[in-house]
C-alpha cells in the first residue's frame, strides 16, 4: 500500500504490533530497526524536499535546507538511538562508513545530536522543564544500503571484531 499524503510516497511497515506509514526509501531500514528492537519517533528520506517551503517563511533557513539535499533523518528516543548506533558500528568493519558515522569531521559525516526538549514548548502555561528525549541521526542517502545491511547483520547476531580504523580523513 502506498500513500502520497506527505512530501514523500509512504508505505505501511508492520513489525509485531507496531505499524506506521514510512517514507518508501526508508521503509526497509525502519523495518530492520524495529526488528532489532529499537524504537523510533520519526523519519524522512530527504530533508531538503520535506522542508523546501521553509525559506519562504524563514529566509534564514535557506542555506540549511539546501545543505540537507540528499540527507535522511531518523529520530529515536535517546536510549534506543544509542543502542542503534552501537549495533550499526559493531555489525560492520571500521571502514569509511564507520568513520562517517562516528567522527564529525569526516567527509559526509553523520549529524548525530541529542536534543533537549522543554515540556513548556507543548504546554505553555507550565514552567520550563528540560529533559533529554530525542536522539536525531541524519546521514547521506548513499549510506542507506550499508546501514540496512548492518542492521540485518545485527538482527542475525553477527558482529565484526573490533579493529583499528583509518582516521586519515579526519586528521588522526
Amino acid at each position: 500500500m502506498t500513500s502520497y499524503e506527505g512530501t514523500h510516497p509512504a508505505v505501511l511497515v508492520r513489525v509485531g504490533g507496531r505499524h506506521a506509514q514510512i517514507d518508501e526509501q526508508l521503509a526497509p531500514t525502519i523495518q530492520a530497526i524495529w526488528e532489532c528492537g529499537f524504537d523510533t519517533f520519526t523519519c524522512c528520506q530527504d530533508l531538503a524536499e520535506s522542508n523546501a517551503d521553509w525559506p519562504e517563511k524563514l529566509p534564514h533557513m535557506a542555506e540549511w535546507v539546501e545543505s540537507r539535499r540528499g540527507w535522511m533523518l531518523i529520530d529515536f528516543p535517546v536510549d534506543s538511538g544509542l543502542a542503534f548506533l552501537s549495533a550499526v558500528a559493531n555489525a560492520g568493519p571500521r571502514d569509511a562508513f564507520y568513520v562517517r558515522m562516528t567522527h564529525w569531521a569526516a567527509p559526509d559525516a553523520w549529524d548525530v545530536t541529542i536534543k533537549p526538549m522543554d515540556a513548556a514548548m507543548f504546554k505553555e502555561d507550565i514552567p520550563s522543564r528540560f529533559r533529554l528525549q530525542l536522539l536525531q541521526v541524519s546521514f547521506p542517502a548513499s549510506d542507506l544500503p550499508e546501514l540496512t545491511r548492518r542492521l540485518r547483520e545485527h538482527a542475525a547476531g553477527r558482529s565484526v571484531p573490533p579493529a583499528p580504523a583509518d582516521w586519515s580523513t579526519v586528521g588522526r
Side-chain angles (χ1 to χ4, degrees), residues 86-163:
S86 294
V88 171
N90 288 320
R94 292 187 176 163
D95 56 5
F97 175 93
Y98 169 81
V99 172
R100 280 193 301 282
M101 73 172 283
T102 59
H103 199 288
W104 63 272
D108 288 326
W110 290 20
D111 183 14
V112 179
T113 57
I114 294 179
K115 307 283 188 177
M117 303 287 289
D118 183 4
M121 288 173 47
F122 308 102
K123 190 169 167 75
E124 294 179 340
D125 61 338
I126 65 171
S128 287
R129 188 180 74 243
F130 283 82
R131 65 178 186 234
L132 296 178
Q133 179 175 329
L134 175 74
L135 187 141
Q136 192 170 75
V137 179
S138 182
F139 54 92
S142 58
D143 279 347
L144 190 63
E146 178 64 8
L147 171 58
T148 306
R149 187 195 71 73
R150 287 180 182 224
L151 286 164
R152 290 189 177 127
E153 289 295 301
H154 174 76
R158 292 187 288 269
S159 63
V160 173

Side-chain angles (χ1 to χ4, degrees), residues 24 28 38 43 55 63 69 83-84 92 99 111 118 139 151 162 172:
E24 66 182 354
F38 307 130
C43 64
E63 186 177 333
R69 189 163 309 287
F84 159 83
V99 172
D111 183 14
D118 183 4
F139 54 92
L151 286 164
R172 281 183 49 190

Side-chain angles (χ1 to χ4, degrees), residues 15-70:
V15 174
R18 187 182 314 199
H19 64 279
Q21 292 287 328
I22 304 294
D23 286 359
E24 66 182 354
Q25 290 178 14
L26 278 168
T29 306
I30 297 299
Q31 180 177 347
I33 288 169
W34 291 352
E35 288 171 349
C36 289
F38 307 130
D39 294 324
T40 60
F41 287 132
T42 60
C43 64
C44 179
Q45 73 184 33
D46 190 300
L47 292 169
E49 290 175 358
S50 291
N51 299 300
D53 64 340
W54 280 17
E56 294 170 22
K57 296 177 264 182
L58 305 167
H60 67 281
M61 294 300 295
E63 186 177 333
W64 182 90
V65 169
E66 188 54 35
S67 74
R68 298 293 89 191
R69 189 163 309 287

